[in-house]
Amino acid sequence: MKVMKFGGTSVGSAQRIKNVAKLITERGRNIVVLSAMAGTTNTLVEISEYLKCGNADGAKETLNGLIRKYSVVFEELFEGCDEQYKSATINAVNECFGTIRNFTETPYSTAEKTILAQGEKMSTALMNGYLQSQGVKVVMIDALDFMRIDANLEPEIGFIRDRITPLLTRHAEADLILTQGYICRNSTGGIDNLQRGGSDLTASLIGAAINAEEIEIWTDIDGMHNNDPRYVEDTKPVSHLHFEEAAELAYFGAKILHPACVLPAKLNNIPVRLLNTMQPEAQGTIIDNQFSASQKVIKAVAAKDNITAIKIKSGRMLLAYGFLHKVFEIFETYKVPIDMIATSEVGVSVTIDDDRNLQAIVDELKKFATVTVDKDMVIICVVGDLVWHNSGLETLALDAMRDIPVRMISYGGSDHNISFLIRKEDKVSALNSLSNQLFK
Ligand code: ADP
Ligand code: ASP
Ligand code: MG
């Protein structure tokens, strides 16, 4: 059994839902995970923001816009189908709209997560109704019945496994199992989610829980490309990546994959395949625990925005053991992860992407060091067979950066990457220069 996850664009219109329905019914009994239709989660965020500000009219108007959008989808999706499937689906989706509308009548408290959950509820209701209208024996299992995170927001794989296994046994006759990505329950039993883009994580957790043959992430592009297609022309799909390479790329900005989804698949040795819904025959990218046969190559480049660099200098760092401990302890106190580190005899530079507690951290650091902050920086991450004895690869990457001011470099932290910290305004030229140098 495979897990097949379809992202927002893949189910972004009635026609796309029909295409996915065809694709999944041709591929046997699998678990299908759907995101919300493209744009829906953003609209739900907007509704929830209006409510947070106490603007119920703004929320209602935005909700009405969403309702109009879905009414067009109903007509197109069920054109020529038996009326009963259309009305059952409309009822199911209207229930979601009703849940949202109720929050516009009551004071805003914990509405946000419940509102955000309606996008996946609606897309799966649409797919469920359409598949039934086509005579497919589909069973919908509610992610809120088995997907859970703990008090530290970590997925509870044991719980997920214990809950989903009997559900699958109960529905052994079903041709297809359908469920929602992204949504889950939290440690208090409330409705929650796996963060934006989290449907990839849902797929990976289900794959791990049922020991799936493969986890397929179906999206709008034919696999992980060797550079960010939003900023570089003529990027090419990479046919194979090791999990660790994929994790580096996902964490450092390759949006095609949610960074957290790599670990459950990696630990359980379940291959992840990235595929294109609009071009299903394309080979895509396979991600697994194998190292590529073609060693000594740089495979891909990614960029992570909104990075803050903090330079911490102290005359007393020289020979002072415990200095780094003191620095890191401050970041730990504020629960702020560090991405890059560069050290010298007189100082250390680190980067963070969560700057909510920046001022408090800087105040603490200033008690024993001089501190300089650079905001709006970008990490450029170059991934490949960068084992240290593969001489020359790091030089190739460095050469591509020759005209770009580099604030920090990190190399040797793993066998897979070299990272550069640069200014935001140099990002596009850095990505293009790396593509020209490494992949042409
Ligand atoms: P989905 O809605 O299916 O989850 P996403 O928008 O999250 O899709 O991810 C797919 C998008 O990721 C692509 O359309 C592409 O613009 C972007 N992307 C960024 N970097 C890469 C990369 N290296 N390879 C492929 N796609 C990338
Ligand atoms: N619908 C959610 C989002 O837009 C989850 C996902 O698409 O993976 O972030
Ligand atoms: Mg995504």
Side-chain angles (χ1 to χ4, degrees):
M1 201 175 208
K2 292 181 183 175
V3 181
M4 305 172 78
K5 175 259 167 176
F6 293 84
T9 324
S10 301
V11 292
S13 67
Q15 189 52 51
R16 294 232 163 119
I17 293 175
K18 289 183 187 183
N19 293 349
V20 170
K22 182 165 179 292
L23 203 152
I24 55 183
T25 44
E26 286 169 356
R27 282 167 171 75
R29 179 181 150 89
N30 293 305
I31 301 189
V32 175
V33 176
L34 299 188
S35 291
M37 292 181 79
T40 295
T41 309
N42 286 346
T43 307
L44 297 174
V45 168
E46 220 180 298
I47 292 173
S48 155
E49 277 167 359
Y50 277 124
L51 291 176
K52 205 185 278 179
C53 312
N55 181 355
D57 288 353
K60 283 179 190 163
E61 223 169 276
T62 313
L63 174 61
N64 290 340
L66 196 63
I67 293 173
R68 279 196 296 278
K69 222 172 116 183
Y70 276 74
S71 59
V72 176
V73 176
F74 295 138
E75 294 312 315
E76 213 182 311
L77 188 61
F78 291 99
E79 198 188 333
C81 294
D82 195 326
E83 196 59 31
Q84 60 162 322
Y85 298 107
K86 182 177 172 184
S87 52
T89 306
I90 291 177
N91 287 343
V93 173
N94 278 347
E95 221 174 277
C96 300
F97 288 135
T99 302
I100 302 170
R101 196 172 289 284
N102 284 342
F103 285 116
T104 67
E105 312 292 346
T106 54
Y108 184 87
S109 54
T110 54
E112 188 195 6
K113 301 289 174 59
T114 307
I115 291 174
L116 294 189
Q118 303 311 308
E120 273 68 14
K121 290 261 186 188
M122 296 195 288
S123 62
T124 47
L126 288 167
M127 182 63 82
N128 189 38
Y130 179 70
L131 285 170
Q132 285 184 8
S133 77
Q134 301 303 298
V136 179
K137 275 200 282 169
V138 57
V139 164
M140 175 116 100
I141 56 172
D142 192 337
L144 298 181
D145 290 338
F146 63 85
M147 193 55 65
R148 196 169 78 175
I149 49 174
D150 64 18
N152 296 317
L153 311 183
E154 290 292 331
E156 291 190 77
I157 189 73
F159 177 91
I160 299 164
R161 184 177 292 121
D162 290 349
R163 286 296 187 98
I164 200 170
T165 309
L167 287 174
L168 297 185
T169 314
R170 193 183 312 158
H171 299 298
E173 301 300 311
D175 293 339
L176 274 177
I177 313 286
L178 184 63
T179 192
Q180 304 90 1
Y182 178 60
I183 67 176
C184 64
R185 291 206 183 267
N186 56 32
S187 59
T188 60
I191 295 179
D192 216 310
N193 61 61
L194 302 173
Q195 313 290 331
R196 295 304 302 270
S199 298
D200 297 344
L201 178 55
T202 304
S204 181
L205 290 167
I206 295 177
I210 67 160
N211 199 18
E213 180 192 331
E214 194 168 278
I215 297 157
E216 295 182 349
I217 307 287
W218 289 81
T219 180
D220 56 5
I221 188 165
D222 56 341
M224 177 72 80
H225 276 219
N226 56 12
N227 208 324
D228 195 320
R230 295 167 296 181
Y231 306 105
V232 179
E233 280 178 21
D234 294 329
T235 58
K236 301 269 176 333
V238 180
S239 58
H240 174 258
L241 288 169
H242 187 275
F243 278 121
E244 286 174 17
E245 295 171 328
E248 304 264 18
L249 289 167
Y251 186 73
F252 288 110
K255 185 175 175 257
I256 185 169
L257 208 56
H258 188 283
C261 89
V262 175
L263 192 63
K266 175 181 188 281
L267 292 179
N268 293 278
N269 206 16
I270 300 168
V272 174
R273 200 180 288 272
L274 308 180
L275 291 157
N276 188 350
T277 318
M278 285 39 126
Q279 211 187 321
E281 67 294 343
Q283 187 195 358
T285 301
I286 181 86
I287 307 167
D288 58 24
N289 271 319
Q290 311 294 321
F291 285 100
S292 309
S294 58
Q295 294 287 309
K296 280 199 153 200
V297 289
I298 290 182
K299 293 184 177 173
V301 177
K304 187 174 181 180
D305 302 325
N306 298 320
I307 301 294
T308 300
I310 308 168
K311 189 195 283 172
I312 305 141
K313 264 179 74 178
S314 168
R316 293 181 192 281
M317 185 173 165
L318 185 68
L319 300 180
Y321 61 84
F323 178 81
L324 288 178
H325 174 76
K326 246 163 103 176
V327 169
F328 293 144
E329 209 173 27
I330 293 168
F331 288 88
E332 194 187 331
T333 306
Y334 289 97
K335 293 196 162 89
V336 175
I338 291 170
D339 284 333
M340 271 177 87
I341 308 171
T343 61
S344 85
E345 204 53 44
V346 290
V348 55
S349 274
V350 300
T351 71
I352 57 172
D353 73 345
D354 170 2
D355 64 2
R356 279 172 297 181
N357 288 311
L358 179 63
Q359 195 52 52
I361 290 171
V362 168
D363 289 347
E364 290 286 329
L365 291 168
K366 278 186 171 165
K367 290 180 184 164
F368 60 91
T370 52
V371 183
T372 321
V373 173
D374 293 305
K375 288 192 167 192
D376 289 330
M377 307 295 282
V378 170
I379 294 176
I380 302 283
C381 172
V382 177
V383 165
D385 302 314
L386 286 151
V387 188
W388 67 276
H389 44 77
N390 274 351
S391 53
L393 287 188
E394 68 282 11
T395 321
L396 277 177
L398 275 165
D399 197 27
M401 306 295 280
R402 64 187 166 277
D403 295 324
I404 291 157
V406 175
R407 165 75 178 76
M408 279 167 75
I409 298 178
S410 174
Y411 172 63
S414 81
D415 289 345
H416 311 293
N417 96 330
I418 175 163
S419 302
F420 302 97
L421 186 73
I422 60 169
R423 297 178 309 189
K424 174 170 93 173
E425 54 267 41
D426 296 325
K427 166 176 143 175
V428 177
S429 54
L431 289 176
N432 279 281
S433 177
L434 282 161
S435 258
N436 290 334
Q437 173 83 14
L438 303 171
F439 308 128
K440 296 260 156 80

